[in-house]
Structures are given as C-alpha cells and as structure tokens.
C-alpha cells in the first residue's frame, strides 16, 4: 500500500474514531448482538459540570455477519461524574467466534466488571485499581469457564476483555486478549494495550534473530490468542501500573479486532 493511501486510510479512521464519541447514544448496558447502530444514526449525550466536559458512547456495524458476539457496557449520564469530577468505567468484550457461547461470555465479562466497579470502586473506595482489576480478571475468568448451556453442558466459551476507568484526570485500564484501547491526542493515535496473541511470541523470536519479521507476520497461527477470559489458567493480564494523565480534548477508543484490522501498520 502506498504511503498516501495509508495516510488517507488512517485519517478516515481517525474521523470514525471521533464519531464513536461525538455521535453516540448514552446507554446503561448494550449487548452489541442486539443492536446494529452506526455512527451515522447515533445520538450525542454530554455531562458538562465543574469545569469538565465528558461524553461517552458506543456504536457497532455488524457488516455481513449473522450475529455479533461483541458486548459493551457504558455508563449512563448519572454515572459519569462523582462529586463533580469524572469517575466512570467503560468495558468491551469480544466473544470467541470459534467457540460456543461467545455471546454469553462477552456479556458475562462486561456486565460483571461494570457492576463490580460501581459497587466497589465508585464511592468510598479503599481498593487500588491494580488490586481491583487483578481480582476482577480472576473472577471473570472463573465465571466464563463455568458457563453452561440449557442442558447443563459446559459452553467452552471465551472472550477478550478491555476496560478503561477514568478517575478525575487519570486513566486506568485492563486488557485480556487482543481487543485494544487507543488514545487519540492532537490528531495522533497511540495504542495503549498490547495484543496477547501468538504474534507477540513470534516477535520475540524476531528480536532474538531466530526468525525474520516477514516469517512472523505470515505465520498461520499469528492471531491465536494466548490469553483470554475462560482460559484454563489466566497468566497474562495487562494493567497499567501508573495511571495515564489525561488532557483536554483526549479521546479514548475501545475496540475489538473487527475495527482495528481496518488500520494499516
């Protein structure tokens, strides 16, 4: 792909990312399997008080698929601010498309983390975000592994999980799997999370000189997840140890692979 084409593609994505937050409808809980909203038909909702201007929203384009296994849970307008400063969480999960029950797994992951945040962290919090996210990761992994179908048989389901918690001017995040969190600042996009797939291991071999980058990027198993909710032993969880300091105008984008695969490297 030529540089000019890449530039146009990335510029188009930036506009789309902005649309996620500027043309979206505030909803308490959204299972994307039940909605086919697009940035074009979405609505905008805002909280503007105490010097802060906060906008949160979600949107999905289902494309040619028969079903959507992504789930996202976002706050309603009364859950954005605490004592006139921003304090809220947004959660996204991508059900494992190749496993049964991905829809249930993603819904379980998002709703559990969202509910626990507002129960444990929102008011009179005595937990650190690091401890909270660690405990939630283990809890959700156990819950997803335990999901059963209507006959009581294990679903063998799985799901990625990302969460972005804003507390004042600080951003705390959690990542399990290969969904992503981006920071859009001053017209540039920065990926905050690291993909937990086999390509990560392959790139380590590239750095050690065992294989070439082309061999890594063309490996047939490069996209296989090495961490996800529902795995037998959850050994890889990404949590930022130091909060990211937010600035006026920042946009935080949470997305699954169906969106970021439109981007060039």
């Amino acid at each position: 792909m030529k540089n000019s084409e890449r530039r146009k593609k990335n510029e188009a994505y930036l506009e789309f990312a902005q649309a996620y937050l500027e043309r979206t409808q505030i909803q308490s809980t959204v299972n994307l399997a039940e909605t086919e909203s697009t940035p074009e038909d979405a609505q905008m909702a805002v909280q503007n008080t105490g010097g802060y201007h906060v906008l949160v929203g979600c949107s999905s384009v289902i494309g040619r698929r028969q079903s959507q296994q992504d789930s996202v849970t976002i706050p309603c307008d009364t859950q954005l601010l605490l004592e006139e400063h921003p304090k809220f969480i947004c959660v996204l999960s991508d059900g494992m498309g190749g496993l049964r029950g991905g829809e249930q797994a993603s819904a379980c992951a998002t709703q559990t983390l969202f509910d626990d945040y507002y129960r444990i962290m929102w008011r009179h919090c005595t937990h650190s975000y690091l401890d909270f996210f660690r405990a939630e990761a283990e809890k959700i992994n156990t819950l997803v592994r335990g999901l059963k179908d209507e006959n009581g048989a294990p679903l063998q389901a799985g799901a990625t999980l990302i969460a972005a918690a804003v507390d004042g001017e600080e951003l705390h995040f959690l990542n399990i799997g290969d969904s992503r969190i981006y920071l859009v600042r001053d017209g540039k996009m920065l990926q905050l999370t690291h993909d937990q797939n086999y390509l990560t291991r392959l790139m380590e071999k590239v750095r050690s000189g065992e294989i070439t980058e082309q061999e890594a990027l063309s490996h047939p198993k490069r996209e296989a997840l090495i961490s996800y909710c529902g795995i037998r032993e959850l050994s890889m969880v990404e949590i930022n140890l130091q909060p990211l300091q937010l600035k006026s105008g920042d946009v935080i984008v949470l997305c699954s692979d169906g969106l970021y695969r439109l981007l060039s490297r």
Side-chain angles (χ1 to χ4, degrees):
M1 182 182 291
K2 295 180 180 179
N3 289 336
S4 59
E5 293 175 344
R6 288 177 177 171
R7 192 161 47 247
K8 289 180 180 179
K9 190 174 183 180
N10 287 347
E11 288 174 354
Y13 180 78
L14 278 172
E15 293 178 2
F16 184 72
Q18 292 284 353
Y20 255 54
L21 295 184
E22 293 176 358
R23 301 179 185 175
T24 49
Q25 182 178 4
I26 294 295
Q27 302 176 59
S28 177
T29 302
V30 181
N31 186 330
L32 294 184
E34 301 173 355
T35 181
E36 298 182 13
S37 62
T38 64
E40 288 76 16
D41 65 9
Q43 301 295 319
M44 181 175 68
V46 175
Q47 273 286 4
N48 190 1
T49 185
Y52 292 99
H53 180 88
V54 181
L55 192 154
V56 177
C58 66
S59 185
S60 175
V61 179
I62 195 169
R64 298 179 180 178
R65 291 187 176 185
Q66 296 298 316
S67 64
Q68 169 66 281
Q69 294 188 344
D70 290 7
S71 292
V72 60
T73 308
I74 61 175
C76 63
D77 54 0
T78 59
Q79 296 172 311
L80 290 175
L81 301 171
L82 180 64
E83 297 177 354
E84 297 191 348
H85 85 275
K87 188 170 185 180
F88 59 90
I89 194 169
C90 298
V91 191
L92 181 145
S93 177
D94 182 2
M96 302 284 281
L99 299 175
R100 291 180 298 150
E103 219 172 276
Q104 294 184 47
S106 65
C108 172
T110 57
Q111 194 62 60
T112 298
L113 180 53
F114 185 86
D115 289 348
D116 284 353
Y117 173 83
Y118 280 95
R119 179 175 58 86
I120 298 172
M121 298 293 289
W122 205 49
R123 294 185 185 276
H124 312 299
C125 174
T126 59
H127 296 74
S128 70
Y129 278 91
L130 180 61
D131 290 341
F132 172 72
F133 280 145
R134 280 176 173 168
E136 288 297 300
E138 292 294 339
K139 175 181 178 178
I140 292 168
N141 189 60
T142 300
L143 289 173
V144 172
R145 277 184 54 80
L147 289 175
K148 294 178 171 34
D149 63 18
E150 61 276 8
N151 298 317
L155 279 178
Q156 298 180 341
T160 69
L161 180 63
I162 50 173
V166 173
D167 194 336
E169 298 178 357
E170 296 181 345
L171 174 69
H172 305 261
F173 62 80
L174 164 71
N175 172 44
I176 304 172
D178 68 348
S179 295
R180 293 180 180 177
I181 301 177
Y182 288 94
L183 169 66
V184 182
R185 176 179 289 176
D186 299 329
K188 299 179 181 179
M189 291 191 72
L190 173 65
Q191 182 180 338
L192 299 181
T193 55
H194 297 83
D195 298 343
Q196 298 168 3
N197 53 28
Y198 189 53
L199 181 59
T200 302
R201 301 267 173 86
L202 291 171
M203 294 307 291
E204 291 175 358
K205 293 183 177 181
V206 171
R207 287 189 286 272
S208 66
E210 297 178 56
I211 61 175
T212 66
E213 183 175 7
Q214 183 57 40
E215 288 175 321
L217 296 176
S218 60
H219 195 285
K221 295 184 179 180
R222 64 188 180 279
E223 295 178 359
L225 293 183
I226 56 177
S227 182
Y228 58 88
C229 298
I231 197 170
R232 182 180 298 275
E233 182 177 348
L234 185 63
S235 59
M236 185 177 295
V237 175
E238 182 179 15
I239 304 168
N240 58 330
L241 299 179
Q242 296 295 328
L244 174 69
Q245 296 299 311
L246 297 173
K247 297 181 179 180
S248 177
D250 282 351
V251 176
I252 306 300
V253 179
L254 285 69
C255 63
S256 61
D257 59 353
L259 178 58
Y260 70 67
R261 291 191 193 283
L262 297 175
L263 284 169
S264 67
R265 289 177 59 83

